[in-house]
Amino acid sequence: MAEETAIRKDENVVYIGKKSVMCYVLAVITQFNSGATEVAIKARGKVISRAVDVAEIVRNRFMPDAKIKSIDIKTEELTSEDGSMAKVSAMEITLTK
Amino acid sequence: MAEETAIRKDENVVYIGKKSVMCYVLAVITQFNSGATEVAIKARGKVISRAVDVAEIVRNRFMPDAKIKSIDIKTEELTSEDGSMAKVSAMEITLTK
């Protein structure tokens, strides 16, 4: 698994990328099972909808006692290699159990 | 404009579909300018990320005094014509001014 495509795991954070939804569901559940009391699901751009899928599947299918602590949206500015700026929407869903 | 592709406008609600982001931005601003004090942006499935774009563009570019009142996510069950069920994530972002 190349480093770029690995699921990034910071402290209690799951970053959503282009893998299948269930990969990220598993990552969230693993963090809770490792003792985390809250897990943040972060996504940017088109995969924001996948972040919602992940949160909903975790809550409805695997952890019915998990709650949505907060949902935040914001705009992030990305600088590409040629120096141009692009704005992209970002979302963070925090689950607690 | 066919009825199916028209932007659906219920009372203070903008439903996100497959049109360009700016169509929905305009729909939200129009509702505020028509006297609405809050507007709900609703989306299902893959266009959820577009709903976030719409909310962010309205707030950052056109209505800096607009605030996010709430963001809710849920799972909706759709029944197709052949009777099969599909679950889809849904999101509602409510803006107030």
Side-chain angles (χ1 to χ4, degrees):
Chain A
M1 193 188 292
E3 204 169 285
E4 291 80 14
T5 60
I7 296 178
R8 290 172 57 196
K9 280 189 205 169
D10 290 353
E11 190 78 23
N12 300 344
V13 177
V14 174
Y15 292 91
I16 304 298
K18 300 194 172 202
K19 296 186 163 219
S20 77
V21 169
M22 293 312 283
C23 285
Y24 303 107
V25 169
L26 183 63
V28 171
I29 292 169
T30 302
Q31 295 217 4
F32 276 122
N33 287 345
S34 307
T37 53
E38 63 179 60
V39 175
I41 302 165
K42 294 190 181 189
R44 280 203 292 225
K46 291 200 173 187
V47 297
I48 283 176
S49 57
R50 196 166 300 159
V52 178
D53 291 339
V54 170
E56 285 295 292
I57 291 172
V58 168
R59 289 203 310 145
N60 293 333
R61 209 183 301 175
F62 296 101
M63 297 182 57
D65 51 339
K67 289 184 174 50
I68 295 169
K69 183 185 175 193
S70 63
I71 304 175
D72 293 312
I73 61 174
K74 60 182 175 181
T75 302
E76 294 185 353
E77 290 195 343
L78 302 179
T79 309
S80 63
E81 288 180 9
D82 63 3
S84 63
M85 300 274 285
K87 289 186 177 182
V88 63
S89 298
M91 181 182 217
E92 180 172 342
I93 302 172
T94 305
L95 297 179
T96 64
K97 70 167 181 180
Chain B
M1 194 189 289
E3 207 170 282
E4 291 81 14
T5 61
I7 295 178
R8 289 173 57 194
K9 279 189 206 170
D10 290 353
E11 191 77 22
N12 300 344
V13 176
V14 173
Y15 292 92
I16 303 298
K18 299 194 172 201
K19 296 186 162 219
S20 76
V21 169
M22 292 312 282
C23 286
Y24 303 107
V25 169
L26 183 62
V28 171
I29 292 169
T30 302
Q31 295 217 5
F32 275 122
N33 287 346
S34 307
T37 54
E38 63 179 61
V39 175
I41 302 165
K42 294 190 181 189
R44 281 203 293 225
K46 291 200 174 187
V47 297
I48 283 176
S49 56
R50 196 167 301 160
V52 177
D53 291 339
V54 170
E56 284 297 290
I57 291 172
V58 168
R59 289 202 311 143
N60 292 333
R61 209 183 301 175
F62 296 101
M63 296 182 55
D65 52 339
K67 289 184 174 50
I68 296 168
K69 183 186 176 192
S70 64
I71 304 175
D72 293 312
I73 61 175
K74 61 182 175 180
T75 302
E76 294 185 354
E77 290 195 343
L78 302 179
T79 309
S80 62
E81 287 180 9
D82 63 2
S84 63
M85 300 274 286
K87 290 187 178 183
V88 62
S89 297
M91 181 182 218
E92 179 173 342
I93 303 172
T94 304
L95 297 180
T96 65
K97 71 168 180 179

